Amino acid sequence: MLLKFFEQEGRFPRHAGEVPKAAVDYVARQVKVEPELFGEYRWSGSTIEYHRAQVREALGFRESTRADEDVLAEWLADKICPMVFTDEGLRSALLARCRTLKIEPPGRVERIVGAGRARFEREFCLHVLNGLSADSARSLWELATGEDGFLLELKSDPGRLGLETLLEEIVKLRRAKTLGLSADLFGGTRIGWWPPGGRGRWPRIRRTSRRISRRSA
């Protein structure tokens, strides 16, 4: 069961519940045993470690190392995070990468995903920050901390298209241009948009905004 699951998923099951009952029943019929015996299989200890080693050898895989985790996090940050913004998407990409490299997925997949995203966000924010002039940084800080509501206007949905909404959007655009942002501010980055909200994102943005405030001082 471990062998077939690994062939299909590129990883070992974490417990018996991850193995489809239909698969257990089918294999049990093939080897002429009761399928209930699978529930007695021990998921820790020397026996399963021996079986896992046999599966890795048969499929040409190896165990992952801490160095592999660092390389995978860097790969996520450089190749995947600019295009994929969900935890599930990043996790799927990581598992596919491990299968390509013939590496058994590390047990700390979520930590690697978090490390890759954090590295990407840090590099992205620093890239944007370093591309701001002092005047632009000051204008952005005033926009973020101002009480005139313009930031909310920029973020709001213009609503149904019409002459009035068109004129309002033109006013927004003209005022936004006064921020003095460089046309190639995002040059060299490969991110199409920044996802709103999400765990772990806004704290880093807040830290970047404090840097902008210092630069604008």
Side-chain angles (χ1 to χ4, degrees), residues 73-74 76-78 80-82 84-87 90 113-129 186 189 191 193-209 211:
E74 183 177 357
L76 282 176
D78 184 52
I80 306 301
C81 287
V84 179
F85 303 107
T86 65
D87 288 347
L90 294 176
V113 167
R117 182 193 296 112
R119 181 178 303 189
F120 164 72
E121 290 177 354
R122 180 173 60 252
E123 293 176 354
F124 175 78
C125 289
L126 287 176
H127 174 88
V128 174
L129 178 63
F186 297 103
T189 64
I191 183 170
W193 55 278
W194 192 269
R199 182 181 60 191
R201 291 174 171 83
W202 292 120
R204 189 171 305 281
I205 295 175
R206 286 196 292 268
R207 289 196 294 272
T208 303
S209 69
R211 295 185 185 183

Side-chain angles (χ1 to χ4, degrees), residues 75-76 80 84 87-98:
W75 176 79
L76 282 176
I80 306 301
V84 179
D87 288 347
E88 185 59 33
L90 294 176
R91 186 176 184 274
S92 297
L94 176 60
L95 294 178
R97 180 65 172 174
C98 287

Side-chain angles (χ1 to χ4, degrees), residues 161-175:
L161 181 61
L163 178 59
E164 183 177 352
T165 55
L166 177 61
L167 294 176
E168 290 174 352
E169 293 305 302
I170 291 175
V171 172
K172 288 182 187 179
L173 179 59
R174 288 175 176 171
R175 186 170 176 184

